[in-house]
Amino acid sequence: LFGGTFHIFSYEWRKSSFQFREPNSEFSYVLETDRFQGGAQAIQMAVQARIIRHLLLSEVGQRDQEKVLAAALSDSLWLAGQEVSATVTLVTEDYCITPQLDYKLDNFTERLQLFTFNEREDVRRFILEHIHCFKEEGSHGVILFLYSLICSRTVDALLNLLLTGRGSPHVFNGMRYSQEDDLPLERRLQGVLARSDVGYLHWSREQQVGSMLKTPRFPVWLCCINGSFSVLFSLNRTLLSNWKVEQMFQLYYYHGQSSQKTPARLTVTHSHHWEVKSTDSGGDPETRYHPLEMTIRTKWAGATIDWNGTAPLY
């Protein structure tokens, strides 16, 4: 996982788990996340996207939270196992491996035990029975889920693994056999081959996300904005299947921090290229638009975003 045996998880990783906000509240479907960027937060927000895909803003009690968390985790693991099998890792009291001289003990990895299942429902049921191992403070829940993902598949691209079940290190569509200058590649590059339930949006000059990830089956997206991960979603299931709905619609945004008490509601106005010419006045878009707006515009080019009186969130 770290490229060597003498590295261990940082404090931020070790303290991360899947804990919800207060049950039966407006934000009862929301996971608490840490302020540091990347790493555990990326995994937490990817799971958050799947939770929203299951609930779509229903107020839930504590047991409902546990059920939907188990469903979100098991869905990802089942996809990672190519919908054939899945592996769940839990911490036991006994050491399962014998440490070597070049191995640094963390009193955690050495005690992992693997449980493999060949039925999707068995995975969900097992995780629900052991949900405290993933959600309680000090449980190392995010690390357990990370190990489960790796053992269910590979470690080459965790975000794609979480979203699509395929560990591709690239986010473009299909396969690439040549470079931009049409020179053949020594080795073909594999991107995303099919749509998934949850999508992915990322504003970057260097990395272009393909339409497979931009257009998921459900209007829920994991977003990468300036190295931090968040979730964008719509309550309108027809948003991705009816182009007329895309002319004006609502999106909700959650950035994962405890300071956010309600999801930000954004109104997006968008015209397709065949309807109207672009009115963009030029200039550097990074200095003119909020990073979230730039991220949204990677899916809906030229869209205008109204924050509806909410101060833009960073």
Side-chain angles (χ1 to χ4, degrees):
L1 177 59
F2 294 107
T5 58
F6 211 68
H7 297 275
I8 61 174
F9 284 100
S10 66
Y11 168 74
E12 287 79 9
W13 270 99
R14 292 170 65 87
K15 74 175 184 177
S16 297
S17 58
F18 297 102
Q19 292 184 312
F20 283 93
R21 297 279 185 94
E22 191 69 24
N24 300 310
S25 66
E26 185 179 3
F27 250 14
S28 58
Y29 61 92
V30 163
L31 294 174
E32 298 277 8
T33 65
D34 297 305
R35 293 191 62 83
F36 78 100
Q37 296 182 346
Q41 192 226 15
I43 294 177
Q44 288 171 317
M45 296 311 292
V47 172
Q48 177 71 79
R50 285 203 174 276
I51 288 172
I52 291 175
R53 168 254 185 274
H54 277 280
L55 288 179
L56 285 181
L57 275 181
S58 300
E59 289 189 6
V60 294
Q62 181 176 352
R63 189 56 178 170
D64 297 316
Q65 289 177 332
E66 294 174 349
K67 288 180 179 178
V68 75
L69 176 58
L73 297 179
S74 60
D75 281 356
S76 295
L77 296 181
W78 190 248
L79 277 174
Q82 299 293 286
E83 299 184 283
V84 174
S85 66
T87 298
V88 181
T89 61
L90 297 180
V91 179
T92 62
E93 294 184 0
D94 299 326
Y95 281 73
C96 299
I97 63 173
T98 302
Q100 305 296 319
L101 292 177
D102 60 348
Y103 175 83
K104 188 173 183 179
L105 289 170
D106 62 11
N107 198 34
F108 175 79
T109 305
E110 309 84 32
R111 298 188 291 123
L112 291 180
Q113 185 171 348
L114 277 58
F115 301 85
T116 300
F117 303 90
N118 297 316
E119 297 291 338
R120 182 174 191 159
E121 180 59 22
D122 292 341
V123 184
R124 186 201 61 79
R125 187 182 300 111
F126 182 81
I127 292 178
L128 182 59
E129 291 173 354
H130 298 84
I131 199 66
H132 61 281
C133 297
F134 296 92
K135 67 185 290 286
E136 290 185 357
E137 186 174 353
S139 65
H140 311 305
V142 174
I143 299 178
L144 281 179
F145 181 59
L146 172 62
Y147 274 127
S148 298
L149 273 173
I150 294 168
C151 293
S152 293
R153 185 64 190 276
T154 62
V155 70
D156 46 6
L158 283 176
L159 283 181
N160 271 347
L161 195 58
L162 275 164
L163 297 176
T164 70
R166 294 180 178 273
S168 168
H170 306 289
V171 294
F172 52 75
N173 289 355
M175 309 291 291
R176 285 188 180 175
Y177 299 91
S178 61
Q179 305 177 48
E180 292 183 0
D181 55 7
D182 292 330
L183 292 176
L185 292 166
E186 292 184 4
R187 184 178 181 181
R188 69 178 186 179
L189 302 179
Q190 178 176 318
V192 179
L193 303 179
R195 295 170 66 193
S196 57
D197 285 351
V198 172
Y200 179 63
L201 298 177
H202 180 203
W203 161 243
S204 171
R205 295 183 184 275
E206 293 77 29
Q207 184 185 55
Q208 300 298 317
V209 178
S211 60
M212 291 293 187
L213 284 175
K214 289 181 183 178
T215 312
R217 298 188 187 95
F218 295 87
V220 183
W221 294 266
L222 176 68
C223 299
C224 181
I225 303 174
N226 294 332
S228 184
F229 291 87
S230 51
V231 175
L232 195 68
F233 60 97
S234 171
L235 301 182
N236 190 340
R237 291 278 296 272
T238 67
L239 176 60
L240 299 175
S241 59
N242 185 346
W243 66 268
K244 293 182 179 180
V245 177
E246 292 182 300
Q247 293 177 332
M248 180 178 287
F249 55 94
Q250 307 290 323
L251 290 177
Y252 294 86
Y253 176 66
Y254 172 59
H255 62 36
Q257 305 305 324
S258 59
S259 58
Q260 186 179 358
K261 303 303 181 184
T262 59
R265 181 176 62 87
L266 312 176
T267 299
V268 181
T269 305
H270 171 251
S271 297
H272 291 277
H273 64 85
W274 64 82
E275 297 177 284
V276 65
K277 293 183 178 180
S278 173
T279 57
D280 199 319
S281 58
D284 186 355
E286 292 190 33
T287 63
R288 298 171 53 216
Y289 299 104
H290 185 277
L292 174 60
E293 296 179 21
M294 293 303 303
T295 303
I296 293 173
R297 286 160 69 98
T298 64
K299 166 63 178 168
W300 292 280
T304 58
I305 293 92
D306 184 353
W307 288 76
N308 295 306
T310 302
L313 302 173
Y314 289 89

